[in-house]
Amino acid sequence: MEENQREESTISLKDIFSVIFSQKWILLIVLIAVTVAGTAGIYFGSNVKDKTYNVSFVLTLPGSDEYSVNYQYPDGTVFRYSDMVSLSTLKKVKESSEDFSGVDVDAMAKKGDILISREISETKTGTGNSSFESMYTISAKARCFKSFDVARMFMQALAYTPGYYLSQMKIDYSYTTIAENASDYVSTVTVLKQQLDDLLEHYEDLIESYGNNFVVDGEKTLQSYMRNLSTYIETNSELDNLITRANIGGYLKNESCISDFESRLKQAEKDLQDAQTTLNKMLSGTASDQPSSLTAIQTQSDLVNEFTRKVEYLKNYLANAKFENGTDSSSQDYTDYSNAKAAYEKDLNAGIASVGRFTDELQKVTSTIYKKSEAVSFTSTNIISIVGGKSIIWSFAVSLVAGLVLSFIIAYAVGAAKLTKSRKLKAQQTVAADAQPFETEVVAQAAVTDAEDNKKDKKSAEKDEK
């Protein structure tokens, strides 16, 4: 026993590892289980709350001032880069694809799990001037997405939202409503002419920003589109003729405009009377203390003639009022008026269609230009990067170390328990083996003693018989 105690007190590392590796299957099973469970738990579990996805990119927008916080779209709408992560933008991006159905944008915005920042870098040019580049970074918590791929697609879509707005931006079509609501045909045509002038001005602004030779579609340049519009305005008298025909024919749009023409006639007659009175005074030399110059008289005379024509046109319109209210619908004049008005409206609709085509064409041109001019350049080829949290390699390494330690402890505990049990059993067997010779000797001695006693008893019995 003393020797066994002495051996246990002097156990070496070799003995320890012998015990551990005697339980190699337990060691291997525990090591694999702890490593796999630990890696999964760290990387996919507790690690998610600390991990953030970042997308960094340079955004170039047409006409943008790279040193300004705010950007104004060509249609006048103000854009702020913080709008890219606003709740309304998040909802629009979510609705754009079924892949984003699991993204809780309301919680994302409420908890502040998504942010955007901008960094402006200044570069000195060779001429001593400064150029600026704006880099944007969108950061979102990994817990907001069910997978890395969904996060990348969602955040990439956010970066493209300004360009998407530009590609969908509409030209102002309010001229159509104004033209339709105009009280007379002359006002309608005037609105159409103004729309053409606005389109031409828009082309001039585009050329100033992007140059004559900016290729819009195939080989057709921006200059070509503007030239087509300019040629139509200069050579096509379609709209001017419509104004003249409306005044001569006296075509009323409908019965409701008659009262408006009556009011305008009264005002025109008054203006004509005042202008004629002033002209008479100028001719008689009583208009002022100083005699009027020939230029002033000529100007006043032109004004009188203008008001005279206006009164005549208005009277001509009102002369056709009986056709609009149906009081003279059976006469030949009514038939002639109706046919002429129908022909006029047909030509007017053709003019409206022409203006509409040029407006749609500019819509296509601007959409293409803004789409080509807008650019999103991501700083990483993988688009998205991971910040914070633990990588899968780190998670595996930590889990492996923990697995080794735990498996060694368990293997040693099991091996030591088995070894102790084995030693106790061996000790019991040794004690039993040591005790067996003594017991044999005792039995033999007892047998000798019994034999001697029997011999004595036999002698005593023989004496008694004698």
Side-chain angles (χ1 to χ4, degrees):
M1 289 293 291
E2 292 179 359
E3 291 179 358
N4 290 339
Q5 291 177 353
R6 212 167 25 247
E7 289 177 1
E8 292 177 358
S9 63
T10 58
I11 294 177
S12 65
L13 287 176
K14 181 179 179 181
D15 298 328
I16 293 175
F17 282 105
S18 295
V19 172
I20 291 174
F21 288 109
S22 67
Q23 308 300 317
K24 54 182 175 295
W25 285 111
I26 294 178
L27 177 70
L28 186 60
I29 292 171
V30 173
L31 176 61
I32 293 175
V34 172
T35 302
V36 172
T39 301
I42 295 174
Y43 188 74
F44 297 106
S46 61
N47 188 37
V48 173
K49 65 180 181 180
D50 300 323
K51 188 163 55 177
T52 300
Y53 293 134
N54 281 356
V55 172
S56 296
F57 56 94
V58 175
L59 178 63
T60 304
L61 296 171
S64 62
D65 180 0
E66 295 181 341
Y67 205 59
S68 174
V69 175
N70 299 333
Y71 169 71
Q72 183 168 306
Y73 289 112
D75 65 355
T77 302
V78 175
F79 167 78
R80 296 175 178 82
Y81 69 88
S82 56
D83 293 342
M84 279 190 278
V85 295
S86 66
L87 181 57
S88 60
T89 303
L90 295 176
K91 288 182 177 180
K92 289 178 182 177
V93 171
K94 178 180 179 178
E95 294 169 358
S96 67
S97 173
E98 293 183 357
D99 294 330
F100 307 144
S101 59
V103 181
D104 189 349
V105 295
D106 292 300
M108 184 186 295
K110 183 177 181 180
K111 296 179 181 179
D113 287 341
I114 187 165
L115 302 169
I116 186 171
S117 60
R118 186 178 76 162
E119 180 180 351
I120 300 176
S121 58
E122 179 180 2
T123 304
K124 292 292 184 180
T125 63
T127 59
N129 297 324
S130 297
S131 62
F132 302 93
E133 182 179 74
S134 299
M135 180 178 293
Y136 302 85
T137 299
I138 298 176
S139 303
K141 293 292 185 181
R143 62 171 175 262
C144 299
F145 309 97
K146 64 180 181 181
S147 69
F148 176 86
D149 290 335
V150 171
R152 178 173 59 182
M153 291 187 295
F154 187 87
M155 297 174 74
Q156 184 178 11
L158 289 175
Y160 281 123
T161 50
Y164 178 78
Y165 179 88
L166 284 167
S167 65
Q168 300 297 313
M169 189 176 62
K170 300 296 183 182
I171 297 295
D172 184 9
Y173 283 89
S174 61
Y175 78 94
T176 57
T177 302
I178 298 174
E180 290 174 358
N181 295 333
S183 60
D184 58 83
Y185 290 121
V186 172
S187 299
T188 297
V189 177
T190 301
V191 172
L192 297 178
K193 288 171 62 66
Q194 182 61 50
Q195 175 68 4
L196 291 176
D197 291 338
D198 291 343
L199 296 179
L200 187 62
E201 183 178 350
H202 201 150
Y203 274 116
E204 291 172 349
D205 292 339
L206 290 174
I207 288 176
E208 182 179 354
S209 299
Y210 304 102
N212 291 329
N213 298 323
F214 188 99
V215 178
V216 179
D217 185 16
E219 296 181 354
K220 195 170 182 179
T221 63
L222 193 53
Q223 179 67 33
S224 299
Y225 283 99
M226 192 184 84
R227 188 183 298 115
N228 290 342
L229 175 60
S230 180
T231 301
Y232 175 83
I233 294 174
E234 293 174 358
T235 61
N236 195 311
S237 57
E238 177 182 21
L239 297 181
D240 290 328
N241 290 338
L242 286 172
I243 291 178
T244 302
R245 287 171 59 188
N247 286 329
I248 294 175
Y251 306 125
L252 296 170
K253 293 187 74 172
N254 47 56
E255 184 182 358
S256 62
C257 66
I258 294 176
S259 59
D260 178 61
F261 273 90
E262 290 174 342
S263 299
R264 289 163 63 181
L265 176 60
K266 290 180 181 179
Q267 183 61 48
E269 288 176 336
K270 181 179 184 306
D271 293 338
L272 174 59
Q273 182 179 0
D274 294 341
Q276 185 64 58
T277 300
T278 301
L279 177 60
N280 293 337
K281 289 182 179 181
M282 293 173 68
L283 292 173
S284 63
T286 60
S288 62
D289 295 338
Q290 300 294 328
S292 301
S293 65
L294 293 178
T295 302
I297 293 175
Q298 183 61 50
T299 300
Q300 188 64 26
S301 178
D302 293 340
L303 184 61
V304 170
N305 292 333
E306 179 183 344
F307 283 131
T308 300
R309 288 192 297 271
K310 186 174 182 180
V311 169
E312 291 175 354
Y313 285 143
L314 292 171
K315 286 182 177 180
N316 189 37
Y317 280 112
L318 291 173
N320 294 322
K322 59 182 179 294
F323 301 131
E324 293 294 338
N325 57 28
T327 57
D328 195 13
S329 59
S330 61
S331 66
Q332 183 62 39
D333 290 340
Y334 174 81
T335 302
D336 294 340
Y337 171 82
S338 298
N339 292 337
K341 180 180 176 181
Y344 178 85
E345 289 182 338
K346 180 179 179 181
D347 294 339
L348 175 61
N349 290 332
I352 293 174
S354 296
V355 176
R357 284 194 300 272
F358 281 111
T359 303
D360 292 339
E361 187 173 68
L362 178 60
Q363 169 69 60
K364 175 184 174 182
V365 169
T366 53
S367 178
T368 302
I369 289 177
Y370 296 148
K371 192 172 182 179
K372 287 185 175 182
S373 301
E374 180 268 339
V376 178
S377 303
F378 295 97
T379 58
S380 171
T381 56
N382 196 34
I383 298 177
I384 194 170
S385 60
I386 301 175
V387 178
K390 305 297 185 293
S391 68
I392 193 167
I393 296 177
W394 188 95
S395 302
F396 174 78
V398 171
S399 301
L400 180 61
V401 171
L404 285 171
V405 172
L406 189 59
S407 62
F408 277 18
I409 293 173
I410 294 176
Y412 180 79
V414 173
K418 288 183 177 181
L419 182 60
T420 300
K421 184 177 181 180
S422 175
R423 285 177 176 176
K424 287 182 178 180
L425 182 60
K426 184 177 179 181
Q428 290 174 357
Q429 292 174 349
T430 301
V431 170
D434 292 341
Q436 188 173 3
F438 175 75
E439 291 176 354
T440 303
E441 183 179 352
V442 170
V443 171
Q445 184 65 38
V448 171
T449 303
D450 289 342
E452 290 179 352
D453 289 340
N454 290 334
K455 188 176 181 180
K456 289 180 179 181
D457 290 339
K458 188 175 180 181
K459 288 180 178 182
S460 296
E462 289 177 353
K463 286 181 178 184
D464 291 337
E465 289 178 356
K466 293 179 178 183

